[in-house]
Amino acid sequence: MGETLLTAERVKLNFGLRTVLDIDRFALRDGDRIGLVGENGAGKTTLIRVLSGEIAPDEGVVRRLGGVAVVHQDRRDHPAEANAELRSRFRAPDAAPHLSGGEETRRRIAAALSGNARVLMADEPTSDLDEEGVAQLTASLRAFDGALLLVSHDRALLDDVATAIAELADGKLTLYPGNYSAYRAERARRRAFEQFEYDQYCADQARLRGAIQDKAE
Protein backbone atom coordinates (compact mmCIF):
# COMPACT_ATOMS: atom_id res chain seq x y z
CA MET A 1 0.00 0.00 0.00
CA GLY A 2 1.44 3.35 -1.05
CA GLU A 3 1.90 6.54 0.91
CA THR A 4 -1.35 8.36 1.70
CA LEU A 5 -1.53 11.57 -0.32
CA LEU A 6 -5.10 12.76 0.36
CA THR A 7 -7.87 11.91 2.81
CA ALA A 8 -11.46 13.06 3.15
CA GLU A 9 -13.39 12.34 6.35
CA ARG A 10 -17.09 12.88 7.12
CA VAL A 11 -17.42 15.25 4.17
CA LYS A 12 -20.87 16.66 3.51
CA LEU A 13 -21.99 19.27 1.01
CA ASN A 14 -25.53 20.48 0.42
CA PHE A 15 -27.00 22.53 -2.40
CA GLY A 16 -30.17 23.91 -0.87
CA LEU A 17 -32.22 20.95 0.37
CA ARG A 18 -30.23 18.46 -1.70
CA THR A 19 -27.32 16.55 -0.17
CA VAL A 20 -24.74 16.33 -2.95
CA LEU A 21 -21.92 14.70 -0.99
CA ASP A 22 -22.10 12.53 2.12
CA ILE A 23 -18.80 10.68 2.30
CA ASP A 24 -17.62 8.94 5.45
CA ARG A 25 -14.05 8.38 4.31
CA PHE A 26 -12.07 8.44 1.09
CA ALA A 27 -8.32 8.25 0.53
CA LEU A 28 -5.91 8.52 -2.36
CA ARG A 29 -2.58 6.71 -2.03
CA ASP A 30 0.56 6.75 -4.11
CA GLY A 31 -0.01 4.52 -7.12
CA ASP A 32 -3.82 4.70 -7.03
CA ARG A 33 -5.53 4.95 -10.41
CA ILE A 34 -9.19 5.52 -9.51
CA GLY A 35 -11.93 6.13 -12.04
CA LEU A 36 -14.82 8.21 -10.66
CA VAL A 37 -18.18 7.31 -12.20
CA GLY A 38 -21.82 8.14 -11.61
CA GLU A 39 -24.95 9.40 -13.31
CA ASN A 40 -24.94 12.86 -14.86
CA GLY A 41 -25.56 15.34 -12.06
CA ALA A 42 -24.37 12.93 -9.36
CA GLY A 43 -21.73 15.43 -8.22
CA LYS A 44 -18.50 14.08 -9.72
CA THR A 45 -17.14 17.50 -10.71
CA THR A 46 -18.22 18.90 -7.35
CA LEU A 47 -16.35 16.13 -5.55
CA ILE A 48 -13.17 16.93 -7.47
CA ARG A 49 -13.51 20.60 -6.55
CA VAL A 50 -13.99 19.72 -2.88
CA LEU A 51 -11.06 17.31 -2.81
CA SER A 52 -8.78 19.79 -4.60
CA GLY A 53 -9.70 22.60 -2.21
CA GLU A 54 -11.62 24.76 -4.70
CA ILE A 55 -14.86 24.34 -2.73
CA ALA A 56 -15.10 24.04 1.05
CA PRO A 57 -17.43 21.30 2.34
CA ASP A 58 -20.23 22.16 4.74
CA GLU A 59 -18.89 19.52 7.12
CA GLY A 60 -15.83 17.32 7.41
CA VAL A 61 -12.21 17.77 6.50
CA VAL A 62 -10.01 17.11 3.48
CA ARG A 63 -6.29 16.69 4.10
CA ARG A 64 -3.98 17.15 1.13
CA LEU A 65 -0.56 15.71 1.96
CA GLY A 66 0.96 16.45 -1.43
CA GLY A 67 0.44 18.93 -4.24
CA VAL A 68 -2.77 18.60 -6.25
CA ALA A 69 -3.21 19.40 -9.95
CA VAL A 70 -6.56 19.42 -11.74
CA VAL A 71 -7.46 19.09 -15.40
CA HIS A 72 -10.78 20.91 -15.50
CA GLN A 73 -13.48 20.26 -18.06
CA ASP A 74 -14.68 23.87 -17.93
CA ARG A 75 -13.15 25.84 -20.80
CA ARG A 76 -13.42 29.02 -18.72
CA ASP A 77 -10.57 27.70 -16.59
CA HIS A 78 -7.27 29.40 -17.40
CA PRO A 79 -4.38 26.99 -16.80
CA ALA A 80 -0.82 28.06 -16.09
CA GLU A 81 1.75 27.70 -18.84
CA ALA A 82 3.18 24.23 -19.29
CA ASN A 83 6.84 23.41 -19.55
CA ALA A 84 8.40 23.15 -23.00
CA GLU A 85 8.65 19.35 -23.05
CA LEU A 86 4.96 18.80 -22.26
CA ARG A 87 3.82 21.60 -24.55
CA SER A 88 5.67 19.88 -27.36
CA ARG A 89 4.41 16.40 -26.46
CA PHE A 90 0.77 17.48 -26.41
CA ARG A 91 1.12 20.11 -29.14
CA ALA A 92 -0.29 22.63 -26.69
CA PRO A 93 -0.53 26.14 -28.17
CA ASP A 94 0.08 29.43 -26.42
CA ALA A 95 -2.88 31.07 -24.73
CA ALA A 96 -4.92 32.87 -27.35
CA PRO A 97 -8.54 33.76 -28.03
CA HIS A 98 -10.66 31.42 -30.11
CA LEU A 99 -8.64 28.25 -29.55
CA SER A 100 -10.41 25.06 -30.59
CA GLY A 101 -11.78 22.67 -27.98
CA GLY A 102 -8.95 20.22 -28.64
CA GLU A 103 -6.31 22.94 -28.28
CA GLU A 104 -7.82 24.08 -24.98
CA THR A 105 -7.86 20.51 -23.69
CA ARG A 106 -4.21 19.99 -24.68
CA ARG A 107 -3.23 23.17 -22.84
CA ARG A 108 -5.02 22.06 -19.66
CA ILE A 109 -3.44 18.60 -19.70
CA ALA A 110 0.08 19.87 -20.36
CA ALA A 111 -0.23 22.50 -17.62
CA ALA A 112 -1.51 20.02 -15.03
CA LEU A 113 1.28 17.56 -15.77
CA SER A 114 3.99 20.25 -15.65
CA GLY A 115 3.92 20.78 -11.89
CA ASN A 116 5.29 18.59 -9.14
CA ALA A 117 1.85 17.55 -7.91
CA ARG A 118 1.57 14.09 -6.39
CA VAL A 119 -2.21 13.97 -6.93
CA LEU A 120 -3.72 14.49 -10.36
CA MET A 121 -7.47 14.89 -10.83
CA ALA A 122 -8.87 14.96 -14.35
CA ASP A 123 -12.45 15.79 -15.34
CA GLU A 124 -13.29 14.44 -18.81
CA PRO A 125 -9.72 14.98 -20.09
CA THR A 126 -10.37 13.36 -23.48
CA SER A 127 -12.92 16.03 -24.44
CA ASP A 128 -12.22 17.15 -28.02
CA LEU A 129 -8.98 15.16 -28.27
CA ASP A 130 -8.14 13.29 -31.44
CA GLU A 131 -6.92 9.69 -31.44
CA GLU A 132 -3.28 10.75 -31.10
CA GLY A 133 -4.10 13.01 -28.17
CA VAL A 134 -6.01 10.26 -26.38
CA ALA A 135 -3.10 7.87 -26.83
CA GLN A 136 -0.64 10.43 -25.44
CA LEU A 137 -2.93 11.18 -22.52
CA THR A 138 -3.42 7.48 -21.72
CA ALA A 139 0.34 6.89 -21.65
CA SER A 140 0.92 9.96 -19.46
CA LEU A 141 -1.77 8.96 -16.97
CA ARG A 142 -0.42 5.44 -16.67
CA ALA A 143 3.09 6.79 -16.10
CA PHE A 144 2.06 9.51 -13.63
CA ASP A 145 4.10 9.41 -10.42
CA GLY A 146 1.51 9.72 -7.67
CA ALA A 147 -2.25 9.17 -7.37
CA LEU A 148 -4.86 9.70 -10.05
CA LEU A 149 -8.60 10.42 -9.79
CA LEU A 150 -10.21 10.34 -13.23
CA VAL A 151 -13.72 11.28 -14.35
CA SER A 152 -14.42 10.12 -17.89
CA HIS A 153 -17.19 8.85 -20.13
CA ASP A 154 -14.45 7.21 -22.21
CA ARG A 155 -14.82 3.62 -21.04
CA ALA A 156 -11.77 2.50 -23.01
CA LEU A 157 -9.65 5.04 -21.12
CA LEU A 158 -10.98 3.79 -17.78
CA ASP A 159 -10.25 0.21 -18.80
CA ASP A 160 -6.71 1.13 -19.83
CA VAL A 161 -5.83 3.29 -16.82
CA ALA A 162 -8.02 2.60 -13.78
CA THR A 163 -7.17 -0.06 -11.22
CA ALA A 164 -10.26 0.76 -9.11
CA ILE A 165 -13.60 2.46 -9.70
CA ALA A 166 -15.36 4.77 -7.23
CA GLU A 167 -19.09 5.04 -7.92
CA LEU A 168 -20.82 8.19 -6.68
CA ALA A 169 -24.56 7.76 -6.08
CA ASP A 170 -26.85 9.63 -3.70
CA GLY A 171 -23.81 11.43 -2.31
CA LYS A 172 -22.10 8.18 -1.28
CA LEU A 173 -18.95 6.59 -2.68
CA THR A 174 -18.67 2.85 -3.28
CA LEU A 175 -15.27 1.48 -4.26
CA TYR A 176 -14.89 -1.44 -6.69
CA PRO A 177 -11.54 -3.11 -7.43
CA GLY A 178 -10.41 -3.41 -11.03
CA ASN A 179 -11.02 -1.39 -14.17
CA TYR A 180 -14.33 -0.24 -15.65
CA SER A 181 -15.22 -3.61 -17.19
CA ALA A 182 -14.61 -5.33 -13.85
CA TYR A 183 -16.76 -2.69 -12.12
CA ARG A 184 -19.66 -3.27 -14.53
CA ALA A 185 -19.50 -7.02 -13.99
CA GLU A 186 -19.32 -6.73 -10.19
CA ARG A 187 -22.13 -4.18 -10.06
CA ALA A 188 -24.33 -6.48 -12.16
CA ARG A 189 -23.51 -9.39 -9.84
CA ARG A 190 -24.40 -7.35 -6.72
CA ARG A 191 -27.65 -6.14 -8.23
CA ALA A 192 -28.62 -9.66 -9.25
CA PHE A 193 -27.95 -10.85 -5.70
CA GLU A 194 -29.99 -7.97 -4.24
CA GLN A 195 -32.87 -8.89 -6.57
CA PHE A 196 -32.56 -12.54 -5.54
CA GLU A 197 -32.72 -11.58 -1.85
CA TYR A 198 -35.75 -9.36 -2.50
CA ASP A 199 -37.53 -12.12 -4.42
CA GLN A 200 -36.81 -14.55 -1.58
CA TYR A 201 -38.18 -12.04 0.95
CA CYS A 202 -41.37 -11.59 -1.09
CA ALA A 203 -41.76 -15.37 -1.39
CA ASP A 204 -41.27 -15.82 2.39
CA GLN A 205 -43.83 -13.12 3.11
CA ALA A 206 -46.33 -14.76 0.75
CA ARG A 207 -45.83 -18.13 2.46
CA LEU A 208 -46.28 -16.52 5.88
CA ARG A 209 -49.50 -14.81 4.81
CA GLY A 210 -50.75 -18.12 3.36
CA ALA A 211 -49.96 -19.98 6.61
CA ILE A 212 -51.77 -17.33 8.67
CA GLN A 213 -54.78 -17.53 6.39
CA ASP A 214 -54.86 -21.36 6.60
CA LYS A 215 -54.85 -21.19 10.39
CA ALA A 216 -57.63 -18.60 10.37
CA GLU A 217 -59.79 -20.90 8.28
Side-chain angles (χ1 to χ4, degrees):
M1 184 178 295
E3 173 190 4
T4 299
L5 300 176
L6 181 147
T7 62
E9 297 180 350
R10 299 180 297 279
V11 167
K12 291 188 178 182
L13 182 70
N14 302 307
F15 288 166
L17 298 177
R18 180 191 172 204
T19 298
V20 179
L21 301 176
D22 185 6
I23 297 168
D24 292 331
R25 180 171 174 79
F26 177 71
L28 284 170
R29 298 178 176 85
D30 189 15
D32 281 349
R33 300 288 185 267
I34 298 180
L36 177 60
V37 302
E39 299 292 335
N40 290 336
K44 300 184 294 294
T45 295
T46 300
L47 177 58
I48 281 182
R49 292 188 177 275
V50 168
L51 294 177
S52 66
E54 297 173 35
I55 298 177
D58 295 324
E59 298 179 27
V61 60
V62 178
R63 295 183 177 89
R64 288 167 285 275
L65 307 175
V68 176
V70 182
V71 181
H72 289 288
Q73 183 181 12
D74 191 344
R75 289 188 62 176
R76 292 172 296 179
D77 175 64
H78 300 291
E81 287 299 327
N83 65 41
E85 189 273 330
L86 283 161
R87 287 180 61 189
S88 175
R89 184 195 307 174
F90 284 95
R91 294 188 287 109
D94 293 328
H98 311 304
L99 293 177
S100 70
E103 289 171 330
E104 290 280 9
T105 299
R106 289 174 180 274
R107 288 191 71 243
R108 290 195 294 271
I109 293 169
L113 291 170
S114 290
N116 296 317
R118 298 297 310 285
V119 175
L120 176 64
M121 303 181 189
D123 191 357
E124 300 293 350
T126 58
S127 296
D128 301 312
L129 287 183
D130 57 16
E131 185 175 345
E132 178 192 16
V134 173
Q136 290 171 333
L137 173 66
T138 301
S140 295
L141 294 179
R142 294 184 65 164
F144 180 73
D145 182 19
L148 172 67
L149 183 63
L150 173 64
V151 176
S152 180
H153 284 91
D154 187 333
R155 305 318 186 196
L157 177 66
L158 291 178
D159 268 346
D160 286 341
V161 174
T163 56
I165 299 294
E167 182 185 60
L168 182 61
D170 299 322
K172 302 283 190 180
L173 276 178
T174 303
L175 200 63
Y176 295 79
N179 63 11
Y180 185 76
S181 293
Y183 151 74
R184 288 289 300 270
E186 177 61 15
R187 186 179 64 168
R189 187 196 68 80
R190 293 186 189 185
R191 290 185 174 179
F193 182 70
E194 289 170 358
Q195 183 64 48
F196 170 77
E197 287 191 318
Y198 177 74
D199 291 343
Q200 287 292 103
Y201 169 79
C202 291
D204 289 343
Q205 291 298 305
R207 284 194 294 270
L208 180 60
R209 287 192 297 271
I212 292 173
Q213 185 175 356
D214 289 344
K215 286 185 179 180
E217 293 174 353

